[in-house]
Amino acid sequence: MMLALATITPGKPEIFAALQGEGASIGRPCVFLRLSRCNLACQWCDTAYTWRFEGDNRPHKDGIAFDRADNQLVWEEAAVAEAIHAFGQSRLVITGGEPLLQAPALVRMLDYLFVLGNYQVEIETNGSVVPSQALAARVGQYNVSPKLSHSGNPRDLAIRPEALRFFAQYPKAFFKFVVAAPDDVEEVAALAAEHGLPAERIFLMPEGRAPATLRARMVWIADLCLQRGYAMTDRLHIHLSGDTRGT
């Protein structure tokens, strides 16, 4: 089995060095690996090129259908590990798409990578898939972003109780909720109560692909974080590089 990767440009995998832009590790130097494919379809997704290929009619506000050949590569796990190692960073962030859809291949890739050096591994996930035991043993941190109703996903696909239970009990899992309006935070609080998500591991993040949008939403998000005991996270990469691939 091989890994399906997203691309920066046709033929070039989206593997790059950058500061972590979101969540508990914000500001830390990392190497990023962006995988292709997703089981959900957020209407505001800023990486729709990882899943909305021609023939996929799941709704997205941009309405763009991407050519799979230009936006997806399939590589051997060992080659992916070597490309990651070449960046010389000790923290790896695996993002997507939904990385947990490719768990068996990720396990093999990480085993190759750990031979090359010592790595702290984070996986960014939508929280709808339970990680395999083999993968969980190799991952130090999960950045879990369950999708709220404004994402446009059916609730029974986006909110999977068995997966949320796993992450709630995993001490290095942090929950990052994308919010666009104050009412979204009421939905966060209801999910936290229903599934036992610890408030001290919850981050609220503004939805947006422009710095001005993020700044405007962070004003009221800050107040709600103070009321609820949540943390707030920015989207650092948007301020630094805009809504671009490989950043």
Side-chain angles (χ1 to χ4, degrees):
M1 187 180 295
M2 299 192 289
L3 280 168
L5 314 180
T7 64
I8 295 176
T9 57
K12 182 179 180 181
E14 196 168 357
I15 303 173
F16 60 96
L19 301 182
Q20 170 63 288
E22 303 171 354
S25 303
I26 192 168
R28 293 186 180 276
C30 306
V31 56
F32 282 80
L33 166 64
R34 187 176 301 281
L35 299 181
S36 190
R37 299 171 50 206
C38 193
N39 59 328
L40 300 182
C42 298
Q43 61 185 357
W44 38 254
C45 177
D46 57 5
T47 58
Y49 60 89
T50 65
W51 56 269
R52 201 174 191 273
F53 302 120
E54 293 173 350
D56 187 334
N57 295 318
R58 290 179 291 175
H60 187 271
K61 67 180 183 180
D62 291 342
I64 300 171
F66 294 89
D67 179 76
R68 185 184 295 271
D70 287 345
N71 292 278
Q72 186 181 87
L73 289 174
V74 180
W75 273 21
E76 295 280 357
E77 295 98 331
V80 176
E82 290 167 3
I84 291 168
H85 187 65
F87 281 92
Q89 300 294 332
S90 61
R91 181 180 293 267
L92 168 64
V93 179
I94 303 171
T95 187
E98 175 45 60
L100 297 184
L101 298 179
Q102 302 189 61
L106 275 180
V107 168
R108 288 190 291 273
M109 186 279 290
L110 290 173
D111 286 344
Y112 284 119
L113 187 64
F114 293 155
V115 172
L116 299 175
N118 295 320
Y119 282 84
Q120 297 172 286
V121 179
E122 300 180 18
I123 288 185
E124 301 192 329
T125 173
N126 60 35
S128 68
V129 180
V130 178
S132 67
Q133 290 185 347
L135 185 60
R138 292 160 173 80
V139 174
Q141 180 174 312
Y142 289 97
N143 305 320
V144 186
S145 184
K147 303 310 177 191
L148 303 176
S149 57
H150 70 86
S151 71
N153 291 288
R155 183 181 173 89
D156 62 341
L157 292 181
I159 304 300
R160 305 303 296 267
E162 68 277 13
L164 292 180
R165 281 196 299 270
F166 172 88
F167 292 118
Q169 296 168 8
Y170 195 89
K172 288 293 185 177
F174 297 91
F175 297 89
K176 181 182 66 184
F177 288 94
V178 178
V179 295
D183 286 350
D184 297 333
V185 183
E186 296 298 326
E187 189 176 349
V188 172
L191 285 171
E194 182 178 357
H195 301 287
L197 312 184
E200 63 271 18
R201 288 196 269 136
I202 292 177
F203 289 77
L204 301 183
M205 185 179 77
E207 189 274 319
R209 292 188 275 177
T213 302
L214 300 178
R215 287 194 295 269
R217 289 176 171 167
M218 287 172 70
V219 173
W220 53 261
I221 289 173
D223 289 338
L224 291 171
C225 284
L226 284 169
Q227 294 172 23
R228 298 282 187 178
Y230 303 153
M232 182 176 70
T233 179
D234 201 349
R235 307 192 73 206
L236 183 62
H237 51 295
I238 297 294
H239 297 288
L240 293 174
S241 305
D243 181 23
T244 56
R245 301 193 197 192
T247 59

